[in-house]
Amino acid sequence: MLYIKHNMIDNIILIPYRNREAHLDYFIKNTVPLFKEHLPNSKVVIIEQTEGKLFNRGMLLNVGFKEYENKTKYFFTHDVDINPTFKCVNEFYKLGVQDTDVLGIYTSQCNTLGGIIKITNDTIHKINGFPNDIWGWGVEDKALQNRAEFFNINKITLLTNKMEHPEYILRFNDTDDRERHNLPYNTQKHYTTFQRLNNEEKNKEVLSSGLNNLEYEVINKKSINDMVEVIKVEI
């Protein structure tokens, strides 16, 4: 895929978001300056979901992938309650990633692709992003791992949330505001059922929901500062 160099942003850091004002304020005041100093030519994009439906982390990240398709080499997925230190940004965020790999900077101890990952524009579109149909808490990270493995994308894990890493990560206590009543179905579908499919069925499942059929409406866009943009969407 060809890139127009002068229009390219080196890194797009995507944050799916709703109703975490205190966490977002801290992130903008403390973490964004680190990015600005040590990750030049980068942008933080907050994708804010409107009220009325269950939160859908994967679909919000898909919006970011779509809005900035072919405008960056690297995407980061990033939760608003996770704040890297200078050591983390300097050692890990600057690492290059090949199209055959995805870098798990700070992921779940369950070996999924949640939290902070770094992936190329080409790779995330090759695997069709996240499914759009995971509403409520959890499992979208496992679904992304399934897709990466199906396309032989190698996961390189640096840190997991199995233990604290204060020299690398400051994490707030998670605000558990994502409804769980869909969790058993989503878990069964993406942890058990997907593994039992043959390759043709897996490919069909990957193509059934993702970047290729994403639908959303941009309500508004605004700049917080010269590095941070908020895109409010209805999904």
Side-chain angles (χ1 to χ4, degrees):
M1 187 171 293
L2 296 177
Y3 295 109
I4 302 174
K5 295 292 185 182
H6 64 275
N7 289 332
M8 290 290 290
I9 302 170
D10 289 344
N11 307 287
I12 300 289
I13 300 161
L14 299 175
I15 299 179
Y17 174 81
R18 186 168 68 183
N19 298 335
R20 300 280 187 93
E21 289 85 359
H23 292 169
L24 181 59
D25 184 61
Y26 184 94
F27 193 93
I28 291 173
K29 289 181 178 178
N30 296 277
T31 299
V32 169
L34 273 179
F35 293 155
K36 189 170 185 178
E37 182 175 359
H38 302 288
L39 291 177
N41 194 30
S42 297
K43 188 168 187 175
V44 176
V45 181
I46 299 156
I47 308 98
E48 181 179 5
Q49 182 178 337
T50 57
E51 301 293 341
K53 294 181 180 179
L54 297 178
F55 193 71
N56 190 324
R57 179 179 181 270
M59 194 171 182
L60 292 177
L61 289 166
N62 280 350
V63 171
F65 300 142
K66 182 64 72 172
E67 288 285 310
Y68 282 90
E69 183 176 4
N70 299 332
K71 297 177 182 177
T72 186
K73 182 173 183 181
Y74 295 120
F75 283 108
F76 289 79
T77 69
H78 213 297
D79 294 336
V80 72
D81 57 355
I82 302 176
N83 295 270
T85 64
F86 161 73
K87 182 177 177 67
C88 187
V89 171
N90 192 50
E91 292 183 12
F92 297 157
Y93 282 58
K94 295 180 179 180
L95 292 174
V97 180
Q98 302 180 64
D99 287 335
T100 53
D101 299 326
V102 55
L103 184 66
I105 295 176
Y106 182 70
T107 59
S108 167
Q109 60 183 298
C110 300
N111 193 35
T112 60
L113 287 172
I116 306 171
I117 67 169
K118 184 177 183 180
I119 192 168
T120 68
N121 170 85
D122 287 356
T123 299
I124 196 63
H125 287 88
K126 175 181 178 179
I127 69 177
N128 203 25
F130 289 87
N132 298 315
D133 59 353
I134 301 179
W135 301 89
W137 185 83
V139 186
E140 79 288 332
D141 53 351
K142 177 60 177 176
L144 190 70
Q145 179 201 14
N146 288 341
R147 292 176 177 216
E149 290 178 348
F150 177 68
F151 284 96
N152 296 314
I153 305 301
N154 179 47
K155 179 187 175 187
I156 302 169
T157 302
L158 300 176
L159 301 172
T160 74
N161 63 8
K162 186 175 183 179
M163 60 178 61
E164 297 296 323
H165 305 276
E167 72 275 28
Y168 288 107
I169 294 290
L170 169 64
R171 180 171 184 172
F172 290 103
N173 290 328
D174 186 39
T175 305
D176 189 0
D177 56 2
R178 293 208 270 166
E179 175 60 50
R180 292 172 177 264
H181 71 257
N182 291 333
L183 187 58
Y185 169 79
N186 290 334
T187 300
Q188 175 69 28
K189 179 178 181 180
H190 296 287
Y191 274 86
T192 305
T193 304
F194 187 86
Q195 303 303 325
R196 294 174 178 169
L197 302 177
N198 61 39
N199 284 342
E200 182 178 349
E201 291 167 334
K202 286 180 178 179
N203 188 61
K204 184 177 179 180
E205 173 64 27
V206 169
L207 294 177
S208 71
S209 182
L211 290 169
N212 63 330
N213 54 14
L214 176 66
E215 295 183 1
Y216 63 97
E217 179 184 356
V218 174
I219 305 302
N220 58 60
K221 295 182 179 182
K222 64 180 180 180
S223 295
I224 301 297
N225 55 42
D226 60 354
M227 192 178 191
V228 181
E229 177 185 31
V230 178
I231 305 176
K232 190 169 186 176
V233 297
E234 184 172 331
I235 57 177

